């Protein structure tokens, strides 16, 4: 079989679920017995998502091979069995960087290098490479932004060129929006018609239109879209708002999107319905509810309102949910801005209202003091605490200050000349920073960690060697290992190759664990992450 390529393109406006559509289609094709992979192409000039502020762009998702990606890659991994690699994330910046590097290496053989065709050719090369290296039957390509934008024109041009060369292997899915204005009370198809035309202007005829709306699309409107957008009514897929993103593959399956895709590409399912049965069971289980657990996330990337916040910590939120579903309880997540706990320690009392506290990853010194106060409160009051990356580093600082009596303990990220740098930058990283070489240079991707038997972490993972994803420059300073251990801090996990502390714990506490890595990136809806599961269990028992 020749490899098939399905482009997912957005119309009308952004934020209507192109990423979830792509992830759902990925799931459905897998359920039909095919090997599928998904990639995202973002129009940014940034070479990757690593240099973008999470408030503006949402979470930076990290792959095993250390790519700093858009959060959609996280959804692809959560929905599918795929381990997505750096091949599957592309930006305008990355494409231009590759072309310019090739030009500098004389790889164009003295030719004049031009935006067209060299940029689309590079995009096509990268799409094919992603498919080949994943050994996929299907490659889904989500194009960031919406049609009609100047920024993603060259990506659409690449898609058009691919279709021209191999029409039998390329398909276009338009994800569009159908508003139901309150004053009219009726679903309007015109914006979707316009989106279809705009796509036509780019030389592309959609094969399938996914119509996002607050309610299901009726047959009258499906026919209308069919006539105006030049597709069959069966190719208009109704995608009403859903209670949970994990409902979407099932909703799409009911609309037979998988069958339509296969039919258009002259293919048959290798497997039928049973492919989604595990997912169906999980979705049913997730809706059962159970005992409520109140989890506080103490962070700082949410000054612009709750909507942006949830995007900044999306994998953490999903990991909490997955763990709750695994043990049959219901999460209630509250966002607490750490700066509030800096001045007045009395405010810390309200932390007792929660069953568990998470301090997620973060950068820079703002808000650190408040987080350290919260950690101290959790430690002393037996409140389950889970520190992720920066959260772990701050737990070490708190312990050093308040238990080891190293009053000036800190991280050199906040205070370069502190007397007790219990968290310090690695020498190799120091050089990088000095040269202002910030992009893609952190300690990134999967590293092994060896866990001590008898620890909470060992009981969670039930094995000695694990691999987790990283994204940071600072580490526990090994010069302070002895004093920390002598005072009771358990260094439960260490990277065997670099001798770096990966997990800290304290004994005699329901759950007090900090990890230098980001376990949230590997949590799956069908299989919650072991550490999140243990944390939620402790929270449930509080
Ligand atoms: N700022 C810290 C570091 O660079 C932690 C990073 C993080 O939480 N991802 O080491």
């Amino acid at each position: 079989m020749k490899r098939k390529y399905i482009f997912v393109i957005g119309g009308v406006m952004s934020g209507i679920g192109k990423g979830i559509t792509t992830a759902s289609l990925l799931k459905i094709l897998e359920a039909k017995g095919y090997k599928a992979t998904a990639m995202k192409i973002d129009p940014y000039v940034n070479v990757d998502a690593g240099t973008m502020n999470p408030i503006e762009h949402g979470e930076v998702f990290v792959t095993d091979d250390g790519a700093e990606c858009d959060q959609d890659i996280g959804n692809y991994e959560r929905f599918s069995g795929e381990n997505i690699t750096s091949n599957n994330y592309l930006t305008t910046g990355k494409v231009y960087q590759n072309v310019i590097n090739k030009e500098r290496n004389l790889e164009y053989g003295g030719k004049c290098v031009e935006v067209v065709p060299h940029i689309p050719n590079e995009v096509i090369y990268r799409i094919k490479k992603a498919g080949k290296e994943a050994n996929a039957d299907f490659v889904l390509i989500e194009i960031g932004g919406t049609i009609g934008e100047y920024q993603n024109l060259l990506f659409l041009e690449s898609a058009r060129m691919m279709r021209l060369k191999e029409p039998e292997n390329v398909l276009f899915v338009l994800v569009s929006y159908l508003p139901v204005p309150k004053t009219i009370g009726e679903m309007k198809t015109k914006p979707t018609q316009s989106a279809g035309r705009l796509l036509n202007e780019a030389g592309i005829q959609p094969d399938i239109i996914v119509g996002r709306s607050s309610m299901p699309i009726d047959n009258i409107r499906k026919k209308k879209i069919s006539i105006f957008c030049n597709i069959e009514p069966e190719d208009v897929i109704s995608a009403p708002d859903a209670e949970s993103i994990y409902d979407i593959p099932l909703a799409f399956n009911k609309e037979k999107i998988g069958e339509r895709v296969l039919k258009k590409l002259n293919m048959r399912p290798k497997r039928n319905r049973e492919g989604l049965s595990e997912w169906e069971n999980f979705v049913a289980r997730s809706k059962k509810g159970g005992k409520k657990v109140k989890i506080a996330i103490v962070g700082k990337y949410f000054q612009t309102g709750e909507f942006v916040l949830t995007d900044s910590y999306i994998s953490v939120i999903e990991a909490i949910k997955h763990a709750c579903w695994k043990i049959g309880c219901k999460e209630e997540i509250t966002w607490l801005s750490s700066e509030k706990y800096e001045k007045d320690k009395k405010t810390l009392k309200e932390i007792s209202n929660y069953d568990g506290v998470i301090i997620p990853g973060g950068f820079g010194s703002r808000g650190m003091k408040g987080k350290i106060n919260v950690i101290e409160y959790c430690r002393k009051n037996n409140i389950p605490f889970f520190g992720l990356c920066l959260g772990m580093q701050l737990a070490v600082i708190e312990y050093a200050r308040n238990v080891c009596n190293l009053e000036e303990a800190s991280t050199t990220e906040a205070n370069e000349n502190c007397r007790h740098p219990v968290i310090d930058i690695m020498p190799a990283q120091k050089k990088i920073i000095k040269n202002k070489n910030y992009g893609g240079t952190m300690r990134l991707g999967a590293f092994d960690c060896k866990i001590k038997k008898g620890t909470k972490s060992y009981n969670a993972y039930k094995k000695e060697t694990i691999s987790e994803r990283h994204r940071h420059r600072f580490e526990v300073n090994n010069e302070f290992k002895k004093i920390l251990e002598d005072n009771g801090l358990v260094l439960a996990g260490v990277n065997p190759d670099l001798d770096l502390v990966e997990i800290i714990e304290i004994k005699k506490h329901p759950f007090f664990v900090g990890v230098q890595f980001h376990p949230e990136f590997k949590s799956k809806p069908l299989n919650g992450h072991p550490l999140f599961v243990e944390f939620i269990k402790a929270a449930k028992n509080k």
Side-chain angles (χ1 to χ4, degrees):
M1 155 194 170
K2 275 266 182 110
R3 189 163 290 129
K4 310 291 178 190
Y5 301 92
I6 304 174
F7 288 90
V8 180
I9 303 164
V12 182
M13 63 186 202
S14 65
I16 54 167
K18 253 183 306 144
I20 298 297
T21 297
T22 309
S24 301
L25 198 48
L26 182 64
K27 179 83 213 161
I28 287 172
L29 290 169
E30 270 185 3
K32 299 232 175 276
Y34 286 101
K35 169 102 173 91
T37 191
M39 66 186 291
K40 171 99 194 253
I41 308 187
D42 265 333
Y44 309 107
V45 180
N46 302 59
V47 172
D48 56 40
T51 53
M52 289 187 236
N53 185 327
I55 288 177
E56 274 182 44
H57 185 70
E59 167 188 277
V60 179
F61 188 82
V62 181
T63 60
D64 261 351
D65 67 345
E68 295 174 282
C69 307
D70 180 83
Q71 56 181 345
D72 277 327
I73 302 286
N75 285 323
Y76 304 162
E77 280 200 350
R78 284 188 280 270
F79 276 64
S80 74
E82 271 292 277
N83 187 358
I84 306 276
T85 72
S86 54
N87 288 318
N88 292 32
Y89 184 57
L90 208 54
T91 63
T92 298
K94 181 115 205 150
V95 174
Y96 272 82
Q97 192 185 48
N98 287 348
V99 170
I100 291 167
N101 284 344
K102 282 184 185 170
E103 183 274 330
R104 291 288 83 185
N105 297 340
L106 261 182
E107 285 179 43
Y108 293 104
K111 280 226 169 67
C112 178
V113 182
E114 299 185 83
V115 171
V116 179
H118 293 103
I119 297 296
N121 280 348
E122 178 68 22
V123 175
I124 294 168
Y125 165 75
R126 299 283 307 201
I127 292 172
K128 297 214 154 171
K129 185 172 175 224
K132 198 170 155 200
E133 295 203 1
N135 198 17
D137 302 318
F138 287 90
V139 186
L140 307 182
I141 308 113
E142 178 190 348
I143 298 186
T146 42
I147 39 164
E149 267 171 43
Y150 170 75
Q151 292 202 81
N152 57 16
L153 216 58
L154 285 166
F155 299 132
L156 296 175
E157 187 63 4
S158 316
R160 187 190 65 76
M161 283 162 68
M162 277 184 81
R163 167 84 154 226
L164 186 70
K165 272 226 168 120
E166 37 184 328
E168 67 287 3
N169 297 331
V170 177
L171 215 65
F172 296 116
V173 176
L174 170 64
V175 184
S176 185
Y177 186 62
L178 292 105
V180 186
K182 265 205 185 118
T183 45
I184 309 173
E186 186 198 336
M187 184 186 284
K188 304 305 285 178
T189 62
K190 190 75 87 201
T192 294
Q193 295 175 35
S194 305
R197 287 214 188 90
L198 272 174
L199 200 53
N200 291 159
E201 269 177 37
I204 293 171
Q205 167 61 41
D207 298 291
I208 288 173
I209 295 182
V210 172
R212 285 280 298 110
S213 188
S214 54
M215 51 172 76
I217 309 174
D218 59 18
N219 283 339
I220 297 175
R221 280 161 190 84
K222 279 193 176 178
K223 276 190 192 138
K224 212 165 173 184
I225 295 170
S226 149
I227 292 167
F228 285 100
C229 294
N230 205 19
I231 64 173
E232 289 178 57
E234 292 77 18
D235 291 327
V236 181
I237 305 297
S238 171
D241 290 349
E243 198 184 315
S244 146
I245 51 170
Y246 301 113
D247 293 341
I248 313 273
L250 302 178
F252 276 13
N253 203 41
K254 276 201 189 118
E255 290 278 298
K256 300 206 169 350
I257 192 172
E259 283 80 350
R260 299 305 294 173
V261 164
L262 292 184
K263 189 171 172 234
K264 283 170 188 300
L265 294 167
N266 278 323
M267 294 165 75
R268 281 170 186 215
K270 284 193 188 168
R271 237 195 297 152
N272 254 320
R273 253 191 63 80
E274 71 276 12
L276 276 176
S277 57
E278 209 187 352
W279 194 265
E280 262 166 3
N281 291 341
F282 136 71
V283 168
R285 204 166 3 109
S286 73
K287 295 205 168 139
K288 271 206 183 130
K291 188 180 171 189
K292 193 162 72 179
V293 284
K294 289 159 90 181
I295 304 297
I297 300 182
V298 184
K300 69 170 179 182
Y301 295 118
F302 45 85
Q303 306 94 319
T304 27
E306 204 155 296
F307 173 76
V308 176
L309 168 80
T310 53
D311 262 15
S312 308
Y313 298 118
I314 186 87
S315 291
V316 177
I317 297 164
E318 293 306 313
I320 294 172
K321 289 186 194 165
H322 303 162
C324 283
W325 295 332
K326 185 147 187 169
I327 55 177
C329 50
K330 174 95 188 97
E331 83 290 348
E332 184 185 288
I333 299 174
T334 307
W335 314 102
L336 300 175
S337 182
S338 58
E339 281 165 301
K340 180 163 140 194
Y341 305 107
E342 297 203 334
K343 289 172 210 100
D344 186 2
K345 277 206 177 182
K346 273 191 231 137
T347 51
L348 285 165
K349 262 203 164 151
E350 68 180 47
I351 298 292
S352 292
N353 297 334
Y354 300 98
D355 302 322
V357 171
I358 288 184
I359 301 208
F363 293 84
S365 58
R366 185 169 62 82
M368 269 187 190
K369 202 171 152 215
K371 290 179 194 172
I372 293 172
N373 288 341
V374 169
I375 294 169
E376 181 185 6
Y377 192 85
C378 290
R379 183 173 59 77
K380 290 184 172 163
N381 293 283
N382 285 331
I383 297 169
F385 163 79
F386 194 13
L388 312 174
C389 205
L390 181 69
M392 174 263 207
Q393 296 174 354
L394 298 180
V396 172
I397 294 170
E398 190 279 319
Y399 205 84
R401 282 184 191 172
N402 300 325
V403 181
C404 310
N405 294 319
L406 300 171
E407 277 134 47
E408 290 176 49
S410 190
T411 162
T412 49
E413 182 174 10
N415 177 3
E416 225 177 307
N417 304 313
C418 67
R419 240 181 85 202
H420 305 301
V422 289
I423 306 294
D424 197 9
I425 193 160
M426 288 176 64
Q429 285 288 341
K430 221 174 196 167
K431 243 195 206 158
I432 289 169
I433 297 287
K434 213 173 158 201
N435 296 328
K436 294 203 166 170
N437 187 13
Y438 296 111
T441 57
M442 283 188 232
R443 183 178 171 214
L444 286 170
F447 289 87
D448 279 354
C449 164
K450 222 171 156 212
I451 307 182
K452 259 190 210 143
K453 286 195 174 154
T455 58
K456 282 202 179 75
S457 307
Y458 186 85
N459 290 343
Y461 283 102
K462 298 192 173 50
K463 56 181 175 183
E464 218 171 329
T465 302
I466 54 141
S467 168
E468 293 280 4
R469 297 179 188 173
H470 292 245
R471 180 171 186 257
H472 55 103
R473 293 190 201 278
F474 296 81
E475 308 280 351
V476 172
N477 185 343
N478 282 346
E479 281 176 28
F480 292 88
K481 243 172 150 175
K482 188 170 176 334
I483 185 165
L484 289 167
E485 279 188 305
D486 287 350
N487 282 281
L489 192 73
V490 181
L491 307 180
V494 172
N495 173 285
D497 305 315
L498 305 164
D499 189 27
L500 295 171
V501 174
E502 300 274 11
I503 310 177
I504 60 107
E505 295 180 5
I506 58 173
K507 288 182 189 146
K508 292 195 193 127
H509 191 286
F511 189 94
F512 190 100
V513 175
V515 291
Q516 185 56 83
F517 45 81
H518 290 273
E520 67 272 23
F521 292 147
K522 283 179 65 171
S523 177
K524 296 283 163 96
L526 294 178
N527 197 10
H529 189 285
L531 286 177
F532 274 91
V533 170
E534 289 309 307
F535 166 67
I536 295 293
K537 268 189 199 161
K540 194 182 169 193
N541 292 334
K542 178 177 167 256

